[in-house]
Amino acid sequence: MSIIIENLKSVDSLYFFLSNDHINNMITHAFDFCDEETTAQYISFLKTLSLKLDSKSVHFFFNEEEQTFPLFTEAIRWFDYRNSMVRIAVRVLTLNVLKVEDPRLQDYLRKRVEAYFESVVKYTRKQCFALSELFLRHAAKDNTNHCGLDLRFSEVVDMFYYMQDLFSVNWDALGRSFCKLFLENCVLSQIVGSLLHGTVLEDRLNPVVALLLLAQLFSVIRFPPLVNTLGDTLFHPDAQLQLHDGDGALVSLTGTLLEFLADDLLLFASMLLLLAFVKNPVVDKTLLEEASLLPFQKTKTKHLLDFLTDTNEDGDSNDIFGGGSGHAFTVAKHSQQHPWCIRVRFESNSPPSPASARRSDKTPSPSPLLSPSSDDDASALFGLPLGNKPTFYEQLLDALFDTLDNSSNRFRAVTLQLVSMMIKELVCAQDAPPRLTAKQKSVLAKAYRASMKQLQEMLCGKAGQIFIELFEHVHRSLKSLDFDRVITAPEFALPEPFDFRSLPLLVSRSRLSPEYGATCCKTIERFLVLRDLKLTFEKRKEDTLPLKAPETAKIAKGEPFPIDPSIQCIPFRLLSDNGDPQHSLPPPTTSPQAEQQDLQQDADAATAADADKQHRFMTVVPGLLLVLGNPTPIDMAKLQQPPQPQVRPSAPGTRVRRPTKVAVVETAVPLDTLDVDCSDERPNVLLTTSLSTTWSAHMDFLEPNLAVIARQLIEKGRTTVRSSKNAQMLHLLGIDAAPKAS
């Protein structure tokens, strides 16, 4: 049936198919819904029917005389079914029904849709609590598999998108009714209530989860009444929340947010919330201005427009409260399900802004969304001045700069990047200097100097041998922050477990402990965030990072390499070859005794095998160690111009020697991260390991002196590559002379 209806192109055929009420009889038929496949097919059938709904075809489904609409009433029974595809189909169906512009159908739905909305809000609240419980279980485990958490988080976010679709239906009264219900019974009573101390909730959320959900709301919802009401409740400087039916103390959420900035996870979630709020395009700019959260770039634009035009003199048409900065209302009703309520009070404590003054000239009117709870509330709008104290904007910026000045490395890189992004939003504009106080400039300069000093100590300390490689690894991994990616990934809000495999291989194979390697990485991350912020304030582009490597030979694996008498190729036998430089998984680590046993086994196996198959040649070109196969003579009759790899050009006046042999490049390893050592028991065997890749090999030379020559070639090439980057790093850290590494 679904396939037939979906493929009906003619309107007459569709009307003929829907006539005589047979479709409604099928909808109300008692199928065996114990079978999940039957249920899925049934809901798919209903969704297909809803796609054909319009003002002309609705009378085939809606019986005005009997006041029955089985397509809608039967479908909403399955809105919380365990199968996600069924739930999605029900949401699509309800949206298709609500979009039908028929006055008789809308009168019918207006009386019955509120019960469905209550079920949707109740289901969303249940999903939020389930997400919080799952989040706590994942936070207690040191694992990286967060598939279940992602699915639960996606379900809550999908509900927010569904609500946005409901708000987008061209039915203003319906949207405001659902908005009020959603605010009272989920957002303010559960999510915001979980951020307050002293609330007694059976389904209380973890504060990090609550902040993440609020950030998602501001990121997804584009319905001005909900966004501005919630924003006013959270960030208005005069907003205070009262608990327990008016008997509790008044609490400011801005003060609570400032307390969260001392913890890494809470700071991360708070920055997501603030950034999502200021980036939401439907947030009233007057609200942002009164909350001191209007980005500096938008502030300059707004002031310029206010200067050029005076269109706001007649009042702000987007003011959803209608009473200026002073208003009070009850946002959660006292009920059996939620035996406490939040009362939001806005008390004037400072001269109104120009926009507020223009609004206050009008007669105060009740909020079109949430009206005052009583005359006593309305009479308590003004008074109770709080005195002169720093604004939320000043306290927030000072706290964020103190976070950057913290040298304990307890904040993750993604948290510091969000802090930097928030600071840029508040103080930076494209054509103006940053809006910073002298204290904030001093704090940033002090933090940057302290971070440079820490890196200098690392460079001169036990991490000096691998500092360049470690710095480059962190710089590559610390990419530009993708806000849309971070806000939709709940695993970023989990405690970061210490994962030995997450550290670069060069740390794990060096003499540094994993803990010290992790500390070095966090120190470098903090320096890079501070440097990016410093350059942004100075309006300069980065001209030092990434570190420039000297010209490297462009030779790839599998290419032919011509050999002439001037190229020093040293023969050896390849006893073992663990991995390819292009792979990323580290080889298994073994103890020295096991390593010697493996070396002896490899040698015995090589002796027993065909010796010719083990013969290789090694040579060094600028920036690379090459492992070559057996060279073969060049047949000049067949190959007039043998391939020439891009190696170091010959000096002027040097006679170019014609290559006589060619070999295939089997491995090309970067020299700057190549570690080489001699075997203790066999001096003619070199143990080579690439610290930046996964390649390692045991190279057996015919004589010990050949092993010494090969090691000297490798070390000389490595020193040449590293010297250039060392000079750049010394300049970056403000060191005049090269430090003495311990």
Side-chain angles (χ1 to χ4, degrees), residues 534-604:
K534 178 176 179 291
L535 294 177
T536 301
F537 290 162
E538 296 175 356
K539 297 188 180 299
R540 292 195 295 122
K541 293 183 178 181
E542 180 62 77
D543 56 357
T544 305
L545 299 177
L547 300 177
K548 282 83 174 173
E551 184 178 358
T552 303
K554 297 180 180 179
I555 302 176
K557 179 180 178 180
E559 291 184 357
F561 181 79
I563 301 176
D564 61 56
S566 65
I567 297 178
Q568 189 173 8
C569 293
I570 303 176
F572 70 95
R573 286 193 308 161
L574 187 63
L575 300 184
S576 66
D577 185 355
N578 296 331
D580 190 295
Q582 299 176 356
H583 295 171
S584 57
L585 295 177
T589 56
T590 57
S591 62
Q593 294 79 5
E595 186 174 343
Q596 293 297 333
Q597 294 176 2
D598 294 342
L599 184 63
Q600 185 62 40
Q601 293 176 1
D602 292 338
D604 296 341

Side-chain angles (χ1 to χ4, degrees), residues 30 38 66 78 159 184 232 295 307 348 365 395 521 546 567 622 641 684 686 693 701 723 735:
T38 301
E66 298 180 4
W78 306 92
M159 289 303 300
E184 289 181 348
D232 231 341
F307 176 76
S348 176
S365 59
Q395 297 179 72
C521 291
I567 297 178
Q641 295 182 351
N684 60 319
L686 287 184
T693 65
F701 294 88
S723 60
I735 303 176

Side-chain angles (χ1 to χ4, degrees), residues 15-137:
Y15 289 174
F16 179 79
F17 195 84
L18 298 177
S19 61
N20 296 325
D21 209 35
H22 294 308
I23 292 295
N24 286 334
N25 293 333
M26 292 186 62
I27 294 174
T28 56
H29 181 74
F31 293 99
D32 181 16
F33 293 117
C34 296
D35 185 3
E36 187 169 340
E37 184 177 354
T38 301
T39 305
Q41 294 292 339
Y42 174 74
I43 296 299
S44 176
F45 168 63
L46 298 186
K47 186 192 75 171
T48 304
L49 290 174
S50 72
L51 296 174
K52 302 296 182 179
L53 273 179
D54 55 31
S55 58
K56 296 181 180 180
S57 63
V58 68
H59 68 275
F60 290 109
F61 304 95
F62 172 56
N63 190 325
E64 183 181 5
E65 295 180 358
E66 298 180 4
Q67 289 290 291
T68 58
F69 189 17
L71 179 62
F72 179 75
T73 56
E74 293 296 323
I76 61 176
R77 294 169 46 209
W78 306 92
F79 81 97
D80 59 349
Y81 190 67
R82 61 180 177 272
N83 189 312
S84 61
M85 299 303 295
V86 172
R87 295 196 303 269
I88 293 173
V90 173
R91 295 169 196 169
V92 173
L93 184 148
T94 54
L95 290 172
N96 291 333
V97 170
L98 294 174
K99 289 177 181 178
V100 177
E101 297 182 359
D102 183 87
R104 296 167 297 179
L105 177 63
Q106 290 181 347
D107 289 339
Y108 170 84
L109 293 174
R110 188 178 292 108
K111 302 174 184 178
R112 292 164 177 80
V113 77
E114 185 173 355
Y116 170 67
F117 285 165
E118 290 178 354
S119 300
V120 169
V121 172
K122 183 179 179 181
Y123 174 78
T124 304
R125 181 169 180 142
K126 180 181 177 181
Q127 292 299 315
C128 292
F129 180 67
L131 172 65
S132 179
E133 292 295 299
L134 187 61
F135 179 87
L136 291 176
R137 290 197 293 271

Side-chain angles (χ1 to χ4, degrees), residues 457-531:
E457 293 173 353
M458 288 172 52
L459 182 61
C460 300
K462 55 184 179 181
Q465 294 181 351
I466 63 168
F467 181 78
I468 298 295
E469 293 78 13
L470 191 62
F471 188 94
E472 290 184 316
H473 168 81
V474 174
H475 183 263
R476 285 192 301 267
S477 61
L478 195 68
K479 300 177 182 178
S480 298
L481 185 67
D482 185 359
F483 178 77
D484 294 333
R485 165 75 177 94
V486 174
I487 199 173
T488 56
E491 60 267 18
F492 282 106
L494 290 169
E496 187 177 35
F498 178 77
D499 187 4
F500 183 80
R501 293 171 299 176
S502 65
L503 293 178
L505 192 60
L506 56 95
V507 174
S508 62
R509 288 181 174 175
S510 64
R511 293 184 176 89
L512 299 180
S513 65
E515 292 77 10
Y516 183 72
T519 301
C520 292
C521 291
K522 286 183 174 293
T523 304
I524 296 172
E525 290 170 349
R526 177 169 167 266
F527 169 79
L528 293 174
V529 172
L530 288 171
R531 179 172 177 82

